[in-house]
């Protein structure tokens, strides 16, 4: 089984992905880490060098290869992975998706501490960061809500959620 975790940056996809993978004895894959390893470059540098549009093409290639080369896993996808139609098709056609639905205030708080390593947020003031996060969330929320499942870590435990997960 292939489980894809989607959601906004800093929503906890990597953290929860590792937890879910451990519970089901599945390998954990962080898509951003695979991209960085493949291109020997940090995501922020890939964005700087190629721009977001080209990065999304690279991301789709790595997502596709990883899906083809792995039987089962729990994958943490990048916050914008799901915005590309090809990626939505790949995810839907090869496994189940889980939207990690972390509240916006928690996300903003986390991003204020790590914004310098986030390509879309680097060099923003805290006010500009809040505005950008709200704008991006509005643009992406419909894609996130297309997931097969929704996990709200503020209002349910992982064990409660996993009882609803059919894998």
């Amino acid at each position: 089984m292939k489980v894809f975790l989607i959601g906004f940056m800093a929503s906890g996809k990597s953290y929860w992905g590792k937890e879910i993978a451990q519970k089901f004895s599945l390998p954990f894959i962080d898509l951003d880490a695979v991209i960085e390893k493949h291109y020997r470059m940090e995501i922020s540098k890939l964005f700087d060098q190629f721009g977001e549009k080209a990065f999304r093409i690279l991301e789709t290639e790595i997502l596709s290869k990883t899906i083809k080369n792995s039987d089962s896993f729990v994958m943490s996808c990048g916050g914008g992975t799901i915005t590309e139609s090809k990626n939505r098709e790949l995810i839907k056609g090869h496994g189940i998706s889980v939207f990690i639905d972390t509240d916006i205030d928690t996300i903003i708080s986390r991003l204020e501490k790590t914004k310098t390593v986030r390509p879309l947020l680097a060099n923003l003031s805290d006010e500009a960061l809040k505005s950008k996060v709200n704008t991006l969330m509005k643009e992406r929320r419909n894609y996130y809500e297309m997931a097969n499942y929704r996990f709200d870590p503020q209002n349910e435990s992982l064990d409660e959620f996993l009882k609803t997960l059919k894998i």
Side-chain angles (χ1 to χ4, degrees):
M1 174 52 68
K2 296 174 182 164
V3 180
F4 300 89
L5 302 184
I6 62 171
F8 205 78
M9 59 184 105
S11 62
K13 297 179 301 290
S14 293
Y15 173 82
W16 293 112
K18 291 172 188 171
E19 294 289 313
I20 294 168
Q22 183 179 6
K23 294 265 187 189
F24 290 107
S25 299
L26 293 172
F28 171 73
I29 298 173
D30 182 313
L31 182 59
D32 283 348
V34 174
I35 293 167
E36 289 179 341
K37 183 177 179 183
H38 182 82
Y39 290 101
R40 296 185 182 125
M41 194 180 298
E42 294 175 356
I43 298 295
S44 58
K45 299 229 186 287
L46 287 165
F47 261 77
D48 289 344
Q49 188 167 337
F50 301 108
E52 183 176 5
K53 187 174 182 174
F55 170 79
R56 296 294 172 205
I57 293 168
L58 301 176
E59 181 180 52
T60 299
E61 289 173 7
I62 297 299
L63 176 64
S64 180
K65 286 179 185 177
T66 304
I67 288 170
K68 288 178 186 167
N69 294 331
S70 305
D71 292 329
S72 297
F73 57 73
V74 175
M75 177 186 286
S76 168
C77 297
T81 304
I82 201 73
T83 63
E84 297 297 315
S85 62
K86 178 68 175 166
N87 296 343
R88 290 192 301 273
E89 291 171 21
L90 286 166
I91 290 168
K92 186 176 183 179
H94 292 91
I96 62 167
S97 54
V98 177
F99 171 27
I100 307 296
D101 192 7
T102 302
D103 71 85
I104 196 101
D105 291 332
T106 300
I107 288 171
I108 290 170
S109 174
R110 291 174 182 168
L111 289 172
E112 285 173 341
K113 298 170 191 156
T114 63
K115 66 183 176 183
T116 58
V117 297
R118 308 278 181 171
L120 297 176
L121 306 177
N123 306 316
L124 296 180
S125 68
D126 287 349
E127 281 306 310
L129 173 104
K130 289 176 187 173
S131 176
K132 182 74 170 181
V133 168
N134 280 302
T135 299
L136 286 171
M137 184 62 91
K138 284 178 188 163
E139 291 172 3
R140 295 176 176 181
R141 184 144 188 109
N142 286 338
Y143 297 124
Y144 298 145
E145 290 179 348
M146 291 177 181
N148 301 106
Y149 297 91
R150 178 180 165 269
F151 174 48
D152 177 356
Q154 288 81 32
N155 294 306
E156 67 183 322
S157 73
L158 180 61
D159 288 335
E160 289 172 325
F161 169 70
L162 292 178
K163 290 177 188 172
T164 68
L165 198 60
K166 294 173 176 60
I167 63 171

